[in-house]
Amino acid sequence: MADPGSSPFNASSVDLDKTPRVDIVCYLSGSSNNYDDRLGLRVASIFVILVVSTAVTVFPVLATRIRRLRIPLAAYLFARYFGAGVIIATAFVHLLDPAYEAIGPASCVGLTGGWSTYSWPPAIALASAMVVFLIDFVCEYHVERRYGVAHGAVENIITDAPAPAPDADASPASRLRSEKSDSDLEELAHLTGDSGETHRAFQSQISAFLVLEFGVIFHSVIIGLNLGVAGAADFNTLFPVLLFHQSFEGLGIGARLSVIPIPTRWRWLPWALCLAYGLTTPVSIAIGLGLHDTYRGSSYTASVVSGVLDSVSAGILIYTGLVEMLARDFMFNPNRTHNKKRLALMLLSLCLGCAIMALIGRWA
C-alpha cells in the first residue's frame, strides 16, 4: 500500500459512513510541521542542551576519579539511583507509549497493511529485550568460562565491603581524617589499572552499558529531530522539558558508567561515551533545522521509523533498568548493604527518578 499521507482525501467533505477510517486517521496525523523562523533561539538550544546534558553526564564519572572534588557519598548515591529510576520511566512512558502512538493499532500506520494484523510495539520491545538478554548472557558466560567468575567487583557503595584500614603509625588527627576519607571518598574510588580483576569486571559490565547507551541514543535522535522542526508553541514547551529530560537521562548514563572498572588502555572510553550521549540530541536538532522544509515527524514514514526505534529502545531499557540496575543491585547481590539509611536513600532516589521522569512525559 502506498503512503497513506499521499492518498487523495478531501477534508472539507467527509462522509463518515463511506470514508475509510484509515484515511481520516492518516490525514489528521500527517499534517506538515509548524516550523517558525526563530533560528537564533533554535541554534541556542543546540548549545544549551549540549553543555548541560554533557556536564550532567560527566559529573558522576568525575566524582569517582577526582578526589579533590570531595563529592559526598550521599550525592553520588542519589545520582546513581535517581538516574536508574529515570531510565526505567523512560522505557515505559517516553518510549513504549509513543511507539503505540506511532505504529500501534489506533495509529495511521497500525491501520494499514501488515501493521494492522498485529500489535507490533510490545512484540518489537519483547524481541529487543530478549536480544539484549542473549547478548548479556553470552558476555557473562564468556567471562565466567575464561576467568572463572561472574560479573566482577561489586561496588563498595552498595555493599558492606570493609574500607581500607588507616595507617597504624599515623597521628590521631591523621587517622581521623583518614577515617573520614574512608567513609566518604574511598567508597567512591574507582577501580582502575591493569589487574586481572579490572579486566574481568570491565569485560563483564561494559557490554551491558553499551547496550543501555545505544537504547537511549535511539530515543535522543528522534526527539532532537522533532525539536528542530517544532512550531513556536511546541518549541516553547519542548525545549525546557527536553533539557530536563536529557539531563536526567544523562545522570543515569553517567552514574552507571562511573562504576565500571576501566583498564589503562581504555581510560579515554568513559569521556568518549559521555560526549557521544551529549552530542546526539544537539546534532539531531541541527539536522532537523536543516530539514525543516521537508521533514514531517508525523508522516507515515517518520512514524514507522520512530515507532520501531522507540519499541527497540523500550525493550533495551526495560531489560537494562529492571535486570541490570534493580535486580542486580537490590535483589541478587549477596553483599548488599544493610545500612538502613543508605538503603532508604537508594530507594527514595529510585522512586523520585521514576516519578519525575513519568511526570515529564505529560509534555514530552
Side-chain angles (χ1 to χ4, degrees), residues 38-50 235 239 289:
R38 296 183 301 171
L39 183 61
L41 182 59
R42 294 171 187 273
V43 172
S45 72
I46 295 175
F47 292 98
V48 171
I49 290 180
L50 170 64
F235 183 88
F239 176 42
L289 288 175

Side-chain angles (χ1 to χ4, degrees), residues 124-144:
I124 296 173
L126 173 62
S128 174
M130 291 306 298
V131 169
V132 176
F133 160 71
L134 291 174
I135 293 173
D136 195 22
F137 175 75
V138 169
C139 293
E140 187 78 7
Y141 182 78
H142 168 73
V143 172
E144 189 172 355

